[in-house]
Amino acid sequence: MTEFNGIDRRHFLTGAAAAGAAVPLAAMLPSIASAADTGSADSLSAAVAGTGSADAPFPTDLDKFDFPTESTLRVLLCGDAGTGAPPQWAVADAIRDLHAREPLSMALGLGDNIYESGPTSDTDTQFATKFEDPNHGLDFPWVMALGNHDNSAVFPGDGGWLGRGDEEVDYHRRSRKWWMPSRYYSVRLPEQNPVVEFFVLDLNPLAAYLPPLLSPYWAPDGQFMTEQRAWLDAAISSSTAKWKIAVTHHPYLSNGSHGDAGMYDGIPIEPLNGVHAKRFYEDHVVGRCNLILSGHDHSMQILEPTTASKGTRQIVCGASAKNSHGKAGSAVDRPNLFQNYTDVGFMVLDLDPDAVTVRVYTVDIATATSTMTFERRLA
């Protein structure tokens, strides 16, 4: 969880920060500034436009979903899945079995879609080996969020090459089911008189282990985040959906080893501890969305709302290819409905106009079979 290539991430980062950010970023990453600036404006325009993109409208069968007469909207939650390794395949096999019995409407991919360092282009074969192939037959829309591993620079998961995530945005035009028209966007279902609206966020500029020092565009108060904040405020304020759900990679709250925003990985130094992500959540999300759905921690958690979250419930589903080996790690153990740090698995949200029901499935890797270990209807 906190290691990369045998190096402890926490000690590496705190040591670098204590040395006055002695890591020679400019020398190590000579192309990041130009890469970060390239293509970002195109991605941003799609996001500001709202749901979807002109060349690939959201699938009409869901866009016109009729809640009063059709079955419940059944949404798969998968996070931190893109390894291409046997555990990912086992989880996908278990999902295929469930889908055959109880058809899934769509999926939410909660980031770290391409391990360990993200794709190098929109034609990278990793899209096949770590998404299309494992998820064959699961041919519903996959609404995708970006994670820190999707934006790696020096070491896997550092989040320091933010322009790299644009390759996943570009892949949207190549895949029949990968839905990522921009780095942030929303999806309303149905489009008219929506019952649910998913606000897919990109908080990587606020939570990168290597802050984007070479491009002010990605700074916490730079153009990208300033425009995302304005977009989100307007989108939530204008949304008429009964259920408003934030979808992103980095959690606001977590009992897992990465911990809460503002205390990520136990790092005591700003901004490496995700303090800017904490402020973003508290200024723009909590009290305004019913749920925050995140990955990042390789665990499955359904936390109870807190005073600070103003009634917003945090759900973490980041164990779709890796687990935490039984380690929670957070200094805080908040009240929860469910938490598991040992198994791989996935979750399902059953949505209707009256309630959201959450189900947790753990998966046995050897047999690729799932067990529903928790179910609760949330008012």
Side-chain angles (χ1 to χ4, degrees):
M1 289 296 300
T2 59
E3 294 185 359
F4 55 92
N5 298 333
I7 303 171
D8 182 81
R9 177 184 292 163
R10 182 182 302 173
H11 293 160
F12 176 88
L13 292 171
T14 54
V23 180
L25 291 176
M28 297 167 70
L29 307 175
S31 63
I32 286 183
S34 59
D37 293 331
T38 303
S40 299
D42 292 339
S43 299
L44 192 62
S45 64
V48 174
T51 58
S53 62
D55 57 349
F58 200 72
T60 55
D61 57 336
L62 284 181
D63 179 58
K64 295 177 171 59
F65 194 92
D66 189 350
F67 276 97
T69 61
E70 297 186 49
S71 61
T72 298
L73 187 72
R74 187 164 292 126
V75 182
L76 169 69
L77 305 187
C78 268
D80 303 72
T83 64
Q88 181 188 10
W89 279 83
V91 170
D93 285 342
I95 294 170
R96 270 185 286 276
D97 179 68
L98 176 67
H99 183 50
R101 293 180 282 110
E102 301 181 51
L104 296 159
S105 307
M106 59 177 289
L108 298 174
L110 302 177
D112 284 359
N113 309 310
I114 305 293
Y115 277 107
E116 290 289 327
S117 299
T120 58
S121 73
D122 62 340
T123 59
D124 195 319
T125 57
Q126 292 183 101
F127 285 112
T129 60
K130 298 177 181 179
F131 177 74
E132 302 288 353
D133 294 346
N135 296 316
H136 68 85
L138 302 176
D139 296 326
F140 36 76
W142 288 67
V143 172
M144 307 297 286
L146 286 166
N148 54 299
H149 279 268
D150 303 309
N151 293 276
S152 298
V154 177
F155 59 82
D158 61 26
W161 190 337
L162 290 160
R164 194 168 201 167
D166 287 345
E167 308 296 356
E168 296 191 15
V169 175
D170 291 343
Y171 187 68
H172 167 83
R173 298 175 177 84
R174 294 183 173 275
S175 174
R176 294 181 59 194
K177 56 191 178 188
W178 178 287
W179 184 262
M180 190 188 284
S182 182
R183 297 183 70 106
Y184 59 86
Y185 57 97
S186 73
V187 171
R188 295 184 290 270
L189 295 173
E191 177 66 22
Q192 301 300 320
N193 302 314
V195 169
V196 61
E197 185 159 4
F198 299 106
F199 302 93
V200 183
L201 307 176
D202 178 10
L203 303 190
N204 287 284
L206 306 183
Y209 292 108
L210 290 182
L213 303 177
L214 303 184
S215 176
Y217 177 81
W218 299 109
D221 58 352
Q223 180 183 346
F224 179 82
M225 287 308 308
T226 297
E227 293 185 341
Q228 185 173 184
R229 290 183 183 97
W231 167 81
L232 181 61
D233 285 344
I236 292 178
S237 295
S238 64
S239 177
T240 59
K242 165 89 182 265
W243 304 111
K244 300 176 180 66
I245 298 177
V247 179
T248 189
H249 181 65
H250 297 85
Y252 172 53
L253 302 175
S254 174
N255 286 342
S257 58
H258 281 306
D260 297 348
M263 296 186 293
Y264 285 154
D265 294 291
I267 297 172
I269 300 170
E270 297 185 9
L272 303 180
N273 59 0
V275 65
H276 293 300
K278 172 181 169 67
R279 292 167 183 161
F280 181 96
Y281 277 121
E282 294 178 347
D283 291 345
H284 304 281
V285 179
V286 299
R288 307 183 71 198
C289 290
N290 304 96
L291 300 174
I292 298 171
L293 308 179
S294 308
H296 199 42
D297 264 311
H298 298 164
S299 60
M300 293 179 284
Q301 307 172 49
I302 304 171
L303 301 182
E304 293 282 33
T306 67
T307 301
S309 75
K310 301 177 182 178
T312 299
R313 183 186 296 276
Q314 171 76 66
I315 294 178
V316 177
C317 183
S320 297
K322 301 183 178 186
N323 62 42
S324 294
H325 305 290
K327 300 175 184 177
S330 175
V332 178
D333 187 19
R334 286 187 183 76
N336 61 87
L337 298 178
F338 179 88
Q339 55 184 353
N340 180 300
Y341 303 93
T342 304
D343 298 296
V344 295
F346 60 94
M347 296 186 188
V348 172
L349 295 183
D350 292 320
L351 272 155
D352 63 48
D354 299 319
V356 176
T357 298
V358 59
R359 291 183 272 163
V360 181
Y361 291 84
T362 56
V363 175
D364 179 81
I365 296 172
T367 62
T369 57
S370 67
T371 301
M372 188 177 73
T373 55
F374 179 84
E375 181 177 22
R376 179 68 61 88
R377 184 175 174 88
L378 306 175

